[in-house]
Amino acid sequence: MPKLTEENQVLVLAPDETDIGKRLDAYLAEKIAEKVGGWSRSRLQRLIEDGDVLVNQKPVKSSYKINISDEIEVELTAAVAASNLFAPEDIPLDIVYEDQDIAVINKSAGMVVHPGAGVSTGTLANALAFHFAGLSKADEVRPGIVHRLDKDTSGLIVVAKNEAAHENLGEQFSSRKVFKSYLALVHGQMEASKGKIEEPIARDRSNRLRMAVIRSGRGAVSLWRVRQSFEKFTLLGVEIKTGRTHQIRVHLAHIRHPVVGDETYNGGRDNTIADPQIRKAVAGLSRFFLHAERLEFEHPATGELVKFYSALPPELEGFLQFLL
């Protein structure tokens, strides 16, 4: 069994004759969960759904049947000790809405959504455990959390307070019934007022911490529309039809309009800003310019369409004013 390393946390597994015909999720549960610890079959299935498990360099479904010739690559974040998973922490939260079934949070930039490798405290999950008496345990590692936002993405995220709400919302996300739109400031001027990016996304094979547009990846669709134009930048409204990891950042970088402040995907574009004051202001943001502005879905208990809005946080609004 390959060892899990802190450096890359990638496992490469080679099935033997006894594994032929097994479902992928069952195979992973057998080979990983009992030896690494802290990995349930549901968590492993989520890895597969998120495209963090590749079979012969391609994403597959949990029901995939193992062949002896398969090479299975697993992006496996270190399991967090159970005692840390639900540890309540008195971290302030901007609660936009709350009832007995759901809560909508306006997440600040810099907050990790849930515990993971190297991060066991200070997360949104820890804050939720403090502020709410009950949360869905449908995912034992991410209590109540139905979807994700990157650490440095601010804005709206919905939380489930019970398993029924979690299941309902999960189905809405899976069937693309949830409306999610973001504000993104990108480098350069757009050639049109709106557009569609439909490119598959998967783990970057040369850097496992990044995602990339890869032909064998999972389908991803982003719709963008110009909100405001500046001399060297454009403010976009971006609606995502899928929820791939880093989707907006990857897609916008792919069309050569990377998100301002995104050191992972903009290829040093921030450093090419000619105006030294603007370049300094970008560095002073200490985050990238991406904000989850709108979230709309059917309430899991009533079926009513509910809509939520979050204005740009002060640091991003201030930067736009600086550009005027």
Side-chain angles (χ1 to χ4, degrees):
M1 177 72 182
K3 292 183 179 180
L4 180 65
T5 69
E6 290 296 330
E7 181 179 353
N8 54 26
Q9 298 168 345
V10 175
L11 299 179
V12 179
L13 306 173
D16 58 34
E17 292 183 357
T18 64
D19 300 314
I20 297 174
K22 292 180 181 178
R23 281 176 55 109
L24 177 61
D25 54 359
Y27 170 80
L28 293 179
E30 178 184 340
K31 300 296 182 181
I32 296 176
E34 64 185 25
K35 296 189 178 183
V36 176
W39 287 89
S40 67
R41 189 159 170 171
S42 64
R43 284 189 70 195
L44 293 168
Q45 286 174 332
R46 185 180 289 274
L47 281 181
I48 297 168
E49 292 168 3
D50 288 346
D52 293 330
V53 177
L54 302 179
V55 178
N56 304 321
Q57 299 188 338
K58 295 181 180 180
V60 296
K61 296 182 178 181
S62 296
S63 58
Y64 175 86
K65 297 299 178 63
I66 298 294
N67 294 305
I68 194 169
S69 60
D70 288 336
E71 179 181 86
I72 302 169
E73 186 175 337
V74 186
E75 180 81 6
L76 192 65
T77 55
V80 181
S83 60
N84 290 329
L85 293 180
F86 306 104
E89 293 184 48
D90 187 4
I91 302 170
L93 286 180
D94 181 2
I95 302 173
V96 176
Y97 174 83
E98 179 187 3
D99 62 26
Q100 63 183 4
D101 298 294
I102 63 171
V104 176
I105 310 299
N106 187 27
K107 187 186 84 69
S108 59
M111 175 179 278
V112 175
V113 170
H114 57 80
V119 180
S120 60
T121 61
T123 72
L124 177 62
N126 296 114
L128 294 174
F130 178 88
H131 288 277
F132 302 113
L135 290 168
S136 164
K137 302 300 190 298
D139 186 325
E140 69 271 28
V141 177
R142 297 179 270 204
I145 296 172
V146 183
H147 63 122
R148 298 174 291 182
L149 291 177
D150 294 338
K151 174 186 175 183
D152 286 329
T153 300
S154 53
L156 299 171
I157 184 167
V158 62
V159 174
K161 287 189 169 185
N162 53 63
E163 282 71 20
H166 198 132
E167 181 178 355
N168 181 283
L169 289 169
E171 174 57 33
Q172 289 189 57
F173 274 97
S174 297
S175 58
R176 305 185 183 182
K177 293 180 179 179
V178 178
F179 176 83
K180 299 170 287 183
S181 70
Y182 297 70
L183 286 175
L185 186 71
V186 301
H187 283 274
Q189 293 275 347
M190 311 302 289
E191 295 182 356
S193 62
K194 62 181 179 179
K196 178 180 181 180
I197 309 170
E198 191 168 6
E199 298 287 355
I201 293 175
R203 289 278 170 188
D204 189 328
R205 291 166 189 160
S206 62
N207 183 348
R208 302 298 298 174
L209 297 179
R210 289 167 46 100
M211 307 299 287
V213 168
I214 296 176
R215 296 275 73 84
S216 61
R218 302 178 71 199
V221 180
S222 303
L223 306 176
W224 60 265
R225 182 183 297 270
V226 173
R227 292 281 193 92
Q228 190 173 2
S229 295
F230 301 90
E231 183 180 358
K232 299 293 184 180
F233 308 98
T234 306
L235 182 67
L236 301 178
V238 184
E239 177 190 351
I240 57 173
K241 295 296 187 180
T242 48
R244 308 305 177 213
T245 301
H246 301 176
Q247 176 174 322
I248 293 175
R249 300 161 62 195
V250 172
H251 269 174
L252 292 176
H254 180 71
I255 64 170
R256 302 180 186 276
H257 292 284
V259 174
V260 171
D262 189 352
E263 296 180 358
T264 301
Y265 293 107
N266 73 21
R269 189 81 170 267
D270 295 339
N271 298 325
T272 68
I273 299 172
D275 188 317
Q277 289 186 320
I278 296 178
R279 190 166 63 247
K280 182 178 179 181
V282 170
L285 282 175
S286 300
R287 58 167 297 187
F288 45 74
F289 200 119
L290 185 61
H291 177 71
E293 179 190 39
R294 295 185 183 275
L295 184 62
E296 302 177 11
F297 53 88
E298 293 180 2
H299 192 285
T302 68
E304 175 189 3
L305 179 64
V306 289
K307 303 179 179 181
F308 302 97
Y309 168 79
S310 170
L312 280 174
E315 71 273 15
L316 299 188
E317 181 60 40
F319 185 76
L320 291 184
Q321 294 304 313
F322 176 75
L323 294 178
L324 293 175

Short mmCIF file of all heavy atoms in Angstrom, two decimals, residues 105-113 124 147-157 181-184 240 245-249 259 262 286-293 310 313 315-316:
data_model
loop_
_atom_site.label_atom_id
_atom_site.label_comp_id
_atom_site.label_asym_id
_atom_site.label_seq_id
_atom_site.Cartn_x
_atom_site.Cartn_y
_atom_site.Cartn_z
N ILE A 105 -25.10 31.67 4.62
CA ILE A 105 -23.99 32.40 5.22
C ILE A 105 -23.28 33.24 4.16
O ILE A 105 -23.09 32.78 3.03
CB ILE A 105 -22.96 31.43 5.84
CG1 ILE A 105 -23.65 30.41 6.76
CG2 ILE A 105 -21.87 32.20 6.58
CD1 ILE A 105 -24.37 31.01 7.93
N ASN A 106 -22.90 34.45 4.52
CA ASN A 106 -22.06 35.28 3.67
C ASN A 106 -20.62 35.08 4.15
O ASN A 106 -20.17 35.71 5.10
CB ASN A 106 -22.49 36.75 3.78
CG ASN A 106 -21.76 37.64 2.81
OD1 ASN A 106 -21.32 37.20 1.75
ND2 ASN A 106 -21.62 38.90 3.15
N LYS A 107 -19.91 34.16 3.49
CA LYS A 107 -18.56 33.78 3.92
C LYS A 107 -17.54 34.87 3.58
O LYS A 107 -17.56 35.43 2.49
CB LYS A 107 -18.14 32.47 3.26
CG LYS A 107 -16.82 31.90 3.78
CD LYS A 107 -16.37 30.68 3.01
CE LYS A 107 -15.62 31.03 1.75
NZ LYS A 107 -14.27 31.62 2.00
N SER A 108 -16.65 35.12 4.50
CA SER A 108 -15.59 36.09 4.25
C SER A 108 -14.42 35.41 3.54
O SER A 108 -14.22 34.19 3.67
CB SER A 108 -15.11 36.71 5.56
OG SER A 108 -14.62 35.72 6.45
N ALA A 109 -13.65 36.18 2.81
CA ALA A 109 -12.45 35.65 2.16
C ALA A 109 -11.44 35.26 3.23
O ALA A 109 -11.35 35.89 4.29
CB ALA A 109 -11.86 36.70 1.22
N GLY A 110 -10.70 34.21 2.97
CA GLY A 110 -9.69 33.74 3.91
C GLY A 110 -10.16 32.62 4.81
O GLY A 110 -9.34 31.99 5.49
N MET A 111 -11.47 32.34 4.80
CA MET A 111 -12.00 31.26 5.64
C MET A 111 -12.12 29.97 4.84
O MET A 111 -12.78 29.92 3.79
CB MET A 111 -13.37 31.64 6.20
CG MET A 111 -14.05 30.52 6.98
SD MET A 111 -15.66 30.97 7.69
CE MET A 111 -15.13 31.81 9.19
N VAL A 112 -11.48 28.92 5.33
CA VAL A 112 -11.60 27.60 4.73
C VAL A 112 -12.96 27.03 5.10
O VAL A 112 -13.44 27.20 6.22
CB VAL A 112 -10.48 26.67 5.24
CG1 VAL A 112 -10.64 25.25 4.71
CG2 VAL A 112 -9.12 27.23 4.84
N VAL A 113 -13.62 26.36 4.17
CA VAL A 113 -14.98 25.89 4.42
C VAL A 113 -15.03 24.73 5.41
O VAL A 113 -15.88 24.72 6.31
CB VAL A 113 -15.66 25.48 3.09
CG1 VAL A 113 -16.98 24.75 3.35
CG2 VAL A 113 -15.92 26.72 2.23
N LEU A 124 -15.16 27.27 8.47
CA LEU A 124 -16.59 27.53 8.52
C LEU A 124 -17.31 26.41 9.27
O LEU A 124 -18.24 26.67 10.04
CB LEU A 124 -17.15 27.64 7.10
CG LEU A 124 -18.66 27.84 6.98
CD1 LEU A 124 -19.09 29.15 7.64
CD2 LEU A 124 -19.10 27.81 5.52
N HIS A 147 -22.30 22.59 -0.46
CA HIS A 147 -21.41 22.94 -1.56
C HIS A 147 -20.24 23.73 -1.00
O HIS A 147 -20.16 23.97 0.20
CB HIS A 147 -22.15 23.74 -2.65
CG HIS A 147 -22.68 25.06 -2.17
ND1 HIS A 147 -22.34 26.27 -2.73
CD2 HIS A 147 -23.56 25.37 -1.17
CE1 HIS A 147 -22.97 27.25 -2.12
NE2 HIS A 147 -23.70 26.73 -1.16
N ARG A 148 -19.31 24.11 -1.88
CA ARG A 148 -18.08 24.71 -1.39
C ARG A 148 -17.79 26.06 -2.04
O ARG A 148 -18.29 26.34 -3.14
CB ARG A 148 -16.89 23.78 -1.67
CG ARG A 148 -16.97 22.45 -0.97
CD ARG A 148 -15.83 21.54 -1.41
NE ARG A 148 -15.97 21.13 -2.80
CZ ARG A 148 -15.13 20.32 -3.43
NH1 ARG A 148 -14.08 19.84 -2.80
NH2 ARG A 148 -15.32 19.98 -4.69
N LEU A 149 -16.99 26.86 -1.36
CA LEU A 149 -16.38 28.04 -1.94
C LEU A 149 -14.88 27.96 -1.63
O LEU A 149 -14.50 27.50 -0.56
CB LEU A 149 -16.95 29.34 -1.34
CG LEU A 149 -18.39 29.72 -1.66
CD1 LEU A 149 -18.77 31.00 -0.91
CD2 LEU A 149 -18.60 29.89 -3.16
N ASP A 150 -14.06 28.41 -2.56
CA ASP A 150 -12.63 28.43 -2.30
C ASP A 150 -12.32 29.32 -1.10
O ASP A 150 -13.09 30.24 -0.78
CB ASP A 150 -11.87 28.97 -3.52
CG ASP A 150 -11.97 28.06 -4.73
OD1 ASP A 150 -12.25 26.86 -4.53
OD2 ASP A 150 -11.78 28.55 -5.85
N LYS A 151 -11.21 29.07 -0.47
CA LYS A 151 -10.81 29.84 0.71
C LYS A 151 -10.90 31.35 0.49
O LYS A 151 -11.44 32.08 1.32
CB LYS A 151 -9.38 29.46 1.11
CG LYS A 151 -8.80 30.30 2.24
CD LYS A 151 -7.34 29.96 2.49
CE LYS A 151 -6.73 30.88 3.54
NZ LYS A 151 -5.29 30.61 3.74
N ASP A 152 -10.37 31.83 -0.63
CA ASP A 152 -10.32 33.28 -0.86
C ASP A 152 -11.48 33.80 -1.70
O ASP A 152 -11.45 34.94 -2.16
CB ASP A 152 -8.99 33.66 -1.50
CG ASP A 152 -7.85 33.62 -0.48
OD1 ASP A 152 -8.11 33.88 0.70
OD2 ASP A 152 -6.71 33.33 -0.88
N THR A 153 -12.50 32.97 -1.92
CA THR A 153 -13.74 33.44 -2.54
C THR A 153 -14.70 33.82 -1.43
O THR A 153 -14.96 33.01 -0.53
CB THR A 153 -14.38 32.35 -3.42
OG1 THR A 153 -13.47 31.98 -4.46
CG2 THR A 153 -15.67 32.86 -4.05
N SER A 154 -15.21 35.03 -1.47
CA SER A 154 -16.20 35.46 -0.49
C SER A 154 -17.60 35.23 -1.04
O SER A 154 -17.77 34.95 -2.23
CB SER A 154 -16.00 36.95 -0.16
OG SER A 154 -15.99 37.72 -1.35
N GLY A 155 -18.61 35.35 -0.16
CA GLY A 155 -19.98 35.30 -0.65
C GLY A 155 -20.83 34.19 -0.09
O GLY A 155 -20.54 33.61 0.96
N LEU A 156 -21.90 33.89 -0.81
CA LEU A 156 -23.00 33.09 -0.29
C LEU A 156 -22.77 31.58 -0.36
O LEU A 156 -22.33 31.05 -1.37
CB LEU A 156 -24.28 33.43 -1.06
CG LEU A 156 -24.74 34.89 -0.96
CD1 LEU A 156 -25.89 35.15 -1.94
CD2 LEU A 156 -25.17 35.23 0.47
N ILE A 157 -23.10 30.93 0.75
CA ILE A 157 -23.06 29.47 0.82
C ILE A 157 -24.23 29.01 1.67
O ILE A 157 -24.54 29.61 2.70
CB ILE A 157 -21.70 28.99 1.40
CG1 ILE A 157 -21.60 27.47 1.38
CG2 ILE A 157 -21.46 29.53 2.80
CD1 ILE A 157 -20.19 26.96 1.64
N SER A 181 -24.37 32.83 -9.13
CA SER A 181 -23.65 33.81 -9.93
C SER A 181 -22.62 34.53 -9.09
O SER A 181 -22.80 34.73 -7.89
CB SER A 181 -24.61 34.81 -10.58
OG SER A 181 -25.18 35.67 -9.62
N TYR A 182 -21.53 34.90 -9.74
CA TYR A 182 -20.37 35.48 -9.09
C TYR A 182 -19.98 36.78 -9.78
O TYR A 182 -20.31 37.01 -10.95
CB TYR A 182 -19.17 34.52 -9.17
CG TYR A 182 -19.36 33.21 -8.46
CD1 TYR A 182 -20.25 32.25 -8.95
CD2 TYR A 182 -18.63 32.90 -7.32
CE1 TYR A 182 -20.41 31.03 -8.31
CE2 TYR A 182 -18.78 31.68 -6.67
CZ TYR A 182 -19.67 30.75 -7.17
OH TYR A 182 -19.84 29.54 -6.54
N LEU A 183 -19.25 37.61 -9.07
CA LEU A 183 -18.59 38.77 -9.65
C LEU A 183 -17.10 38.48 -9.71
O LEU A 183 -16.51 38.05 -8.71
CB LEU A 183 -18.84 40.03 -8.83
CG LEU A 183 -20.25 40.63 -8.92
CD1 LEU A 183 -20.37 41.80 -7.95
CD2 LEU A 183 -20.54 41.10 -10.35
N ALA A 184 -16.50 38.70 -10.87
CA ALA A 184 -15.08 38.45 -11.04
C ALA A 184 -14.46 39.61 -11.80
O ALA A 184 -14.97 40.01 -12.86
CB ALA A 184 -14.86 37.15 -11.81
N ILE A 240 -22.43 29.90 -13.10
CA ILE A 240 -21.88 28.56 -13.36
C ILE A 240 -23.02 27.54 -13.36
O ILE A 240 -23.87 27.52 -12.48
CB ILE A 240 -20.79 28.18 -12.36
CG1 ILE A 240 -21.28 28.25 -10.91
CG2 ILE A 240 -19.56 29.07 -12.54
CD1 ILE A 240 -20.25 27.71 -9.92
N THR A 245 -14.23 22.08 -9.17
CA THR A 245 -13.24 22.74 -8.34
C THR A 245 -12.53 23.84 -9.13
O THR A 245 -12.03 23.59 -10.23
CB THR A 245 -12.21 21.72 -7.83
OG1 THR A 245 -12.89 20.72 -7.07
CG2 THR A 245 -11.16 22.39 -6.95
N HIS A 246 -12.49 25.06 -8.59
CA HIS A 246 -11.81 26.21 -9.19
C HIS A 246 -12.37 26.56 -10.57
O HIS A 246 -11.68 27.19 -11.39
CB HIS A 246 -10.31 25.97 -9.31
CG HIS A 246 -9.63 25.69 -8.01
ND1 HIS A 246 -8.29 25.36 -7.93
CD2 HIS A 246 -10.07 25.70 -6.73
CE1 HIS A 246 -7.95 25.17 -6.67
NE2 HIS A 246 -9.02 25.37 -5.92
N GLN A 247 -13.62 26.20 -10.85
CA GLN A 247 -14.15 26.29 -12.21
C GLN A 247 -14.00 27.67 -12.84
O GLN A 247 -13.47 27.81 -13.95
CB GLN A 247 -15.62 25.87 -12.23
CG GLN A 247 -16.26 26.03 -13.62
CD GLN A 247 -17.67 25.50 -13.67
OE1 GLN A 247 -17.98 24.48 -13.06
NE2 GLN A 247 -18.55 26.18 -14.39
N ILE A 248 -14.50 28.70 -12.16
CA ILE A 248 -14.46 30.04 -12.75
C ILE A 248 -13.02 30.48 -12.99
O ILE A 248 -12.69 31.02 -14.05
CB ILE A 248 -15.19 31.05 -11.84
CG1 ILE A 248 -16.69 30.73 -11.79
CG2 ILE A 248 -14.97 32.49 -12.31
CD1 ILE A 248 -17.47 31.61 -10.82
N ARG A 249 -12.17 30.25 -12.03
CA ARG A 249 -10.78 30.68 -12.14
C ARG A 249 -10.08 29.97 -13.31
O ARG A 249 -9.32 30.59 -14.06
CB ARG A 249 -10.06 30.40 -10.83
CG ARG A 249 -10.67 31.14 -9.64
CD ARG A 249 -10.27 30.52 -8.31
NE ARG A 249 -8.83 30.58 -8.10
CZ ARG A 249 -8.19 29.87 -7.18
NH1 ARG A 249 -8.87 29.03 -6.39
NH2 ARG A 249 -6.89 30.00 -7.03
N VAL A 259 -8.49 35.89 -13.38
CA VAL A 259 -9.00 36.70 -12.27
C VAL A 259 -7.86 37.49 -11.63
O VAL A 259 -6.77 36.96 -11.39
CB VAL A 259 -9.67 35.79 -11.22
CG1 VAL A 259 -10.08 36.59 -9.98
CG2 VAL A 259 -10.88 35.08 -11.82
N ASP A 262 -5.27 36.34 -8.59
CA ASP A 262 -5.24 34.88 -8.51
C ASP A 262 -3.84 34.37 -8.85
O ASP A 262 -3.52 34.10 -10.01
CB ASP A 262 -6.28 34.27 -9.45
CG ASP A 262 -6.45 32.78 -9.25
OD1 ASP A 262 -5.66 32.18 -8.49
OD2 ASP A 262 -7.39 32.22 -9.83
N SER A 286 -4.59 40.90 -0.96
CA SER A 286 -4.29 39.64 -0.27
C SER A 286 -5.34 38.57 -0.54
O SER A 286 -5.60 37.71 0.29
CB SER A 286 -4.17 39.88 1.25
OG SER A 286 -3.13 40.80 1.52
N ARG A 287 -5.97 38.64 -1.71
CA ARG A 287 -6.97 37.66 -2.12
C ARG A 287 -7.21 37.87 -3.61
O ARG A 287 -6.76 38.85 -4.19
CB ARG A 287 -8.29 37.85 -1.36
CG ARG A 287 -8.90 39.25 -1.55
CD ARG A 287 -10.33 39.34 -1.09
NE ARG A 287 -11.20 38.47 -1.88
CZ ARG A 287 -12.53 38.47 -1.76
NH1 ARG A 287 -13.12 39.29 -0.91
NH2 ARG A 287 -13.25 37.67 -2.49
N PHE A 288 -7.93 36.96 -4.24
CA PHE A 288 -8.31 37.21 -5.62
C PHE A 288 -9.71 37.81 -5.67
O PHE A 288 -10.49 37.73 -4.73
CB PHE A 288 -8.21 35.95 -6.50
CG PHE A 288 -8.78 34.69 -5.90
CD1 PHE A 288 -10.14 34.49 -5.81
CD2 PHE A 288 -7.93 33.69 -5.44
CE1 PHE A 288 -10.66 33.32 -5.29
CE2 PHE A 288 -8.44 32.52 -4.91
CZ PHE A 288 -9.81 32.34 -4.83
N PHE A 289 -10.03 38.45 -6.79
CA PHE A 289 -11.28 39.20 -6.93
C PHE A 289 -12.38 38.29 -7.46
O PHE A 289 -12.68 38.27 -8.65
CB PHE A 289 -11.07 40.39 -7.87
CG PHE A 289 -12.11 41.49 -7.72
CD1 PHE A 289 -11.72 42.76 -7.34
CD2 PHE A 289 -13.45 41.24 -7.96
CE1 PHE A 289 -12.66 43.79 -7.20
CE2 PHE A 289 -14.40 42.25 -7.82
CZ PHE A 289 -14.01 43.52 -7.44
N LEU A 290 -12.97 37.51 -6.57
CA LEU A 290 -14.06 36.61 -6.92
C LEU A 290 -15.03 36.55 -5.75
O LEU A 290 -14.62 36.26 -4.62
CB LEU A 290 -13.53 35.21 -7.25
CG LEU A 290 -14.55 34.19 -7.75
CD1 LEU A 290 -15.20 34.66 -9.05
CD2 LEU A 290 -13.89 32.84 -7.97
N HIS A 291 -16.31 36.84 -6.03
CA HIS A 291 -17.31 36.94 -4.97
C HIS A 291 -18.60 36.26 -5.40
O HIS A 291 -19.12 36.53 -6.50
CB HIS A 291 -17.57 38.42 -4.67
CG HIS A 291 -18.64 38.67 -3.65
ND1 HIS A 291 -18.46 38.39 -2.31
CD2 HIS A 291 -19.90 39.16 -3.77
CE1 HIS A 291 -19.57 38.72 -1.65
NE2 HIS A 291 -20.45 39.18 -2.51
N ALA A 292 -19.12 35.36 -4.56
CA ALA A 292 -20.39 34.68 -4.83
C ALA A 292 -21.53 35.63 -4.50
O ALA A 292 -21.91 35.77 -3.34
CB ALA A 292 -20.48 33.39 -4.02
N GLU A 293 -22.09 36.24 -5.52
CA GLU A 293 -23.03 37.34 -5.34
C GLU A 293 -24.48 36.90 -5.16
O GLU A 293 -25.22 37.44 -4.32
CB GLU A 293 -22.95 38.28 -6.54
CG GLU A 293 -23.90 39.47 -6.48
CD GLU A 293 -23.97 40.23 -7.79
OE1 GLU A 293 -23.95 39.59 -8.86
OE2 GLU A 293 -24.07 41.47 -7.74
N SER A 310 -25.58 39.09 -2.03
CA SER A 310 -24.50 39.58 -1.18
C SER A 310 -23.71 40.64 -1.95
O SER A 310 -23.17 40.37 -3.03
CB SER A 310 -23.56 38.43 -0.78
OG SER A 310 -22.39 38.93 -0.16
N PRO A 313 -17.73 42.79 -0.80
CA PRO A 313 -17.14 43.20 0.47
C PRO A 313 -16.34 44.50 0.29
O PRO A 313 -15.93 44.84 -0.83
CB PRO A 313 -16.23 42.03 0.85
CG PRO A 313 -15.96 41.32 -0.42
CD PRO A 313 -17.18 41.51 -1.28
N GLU A 315 -13.31 45.55 0.70
CA GLU A 315 -12.00 45.60 0.04
C GLU A 315 -12.12 45.50 -1.48
O GLU A 315 -11.33 46.12 -2.22
CB GLU A 315 -11.07 44.50 0.59
CG GLU A 315 -11.43 43.07 0.20
CD GLU A 315 -12.42 42.41 1.14
OE1 GLU A 315 -13.06 43.13 1.93
OE2 GLU A 315 -12.54 41.17 1.08
N LEU A 316 -13.13 44.76 -1.97
CA LEU A 316 -13.31 44.65 -3.41
C LEU A 316 -14.01 45.87 -3.98
O LEU A 316 -13.65 46.37 -5.05
CB LEU A 316 -14.08 43.37 -3.75
CG LEU A 316 -13.43 42.05 -3.34
CD1 LEU A 316 -14.20 40.87 -3.91
CD2 LEU A 316 -11.97 41.99 -3.79
#
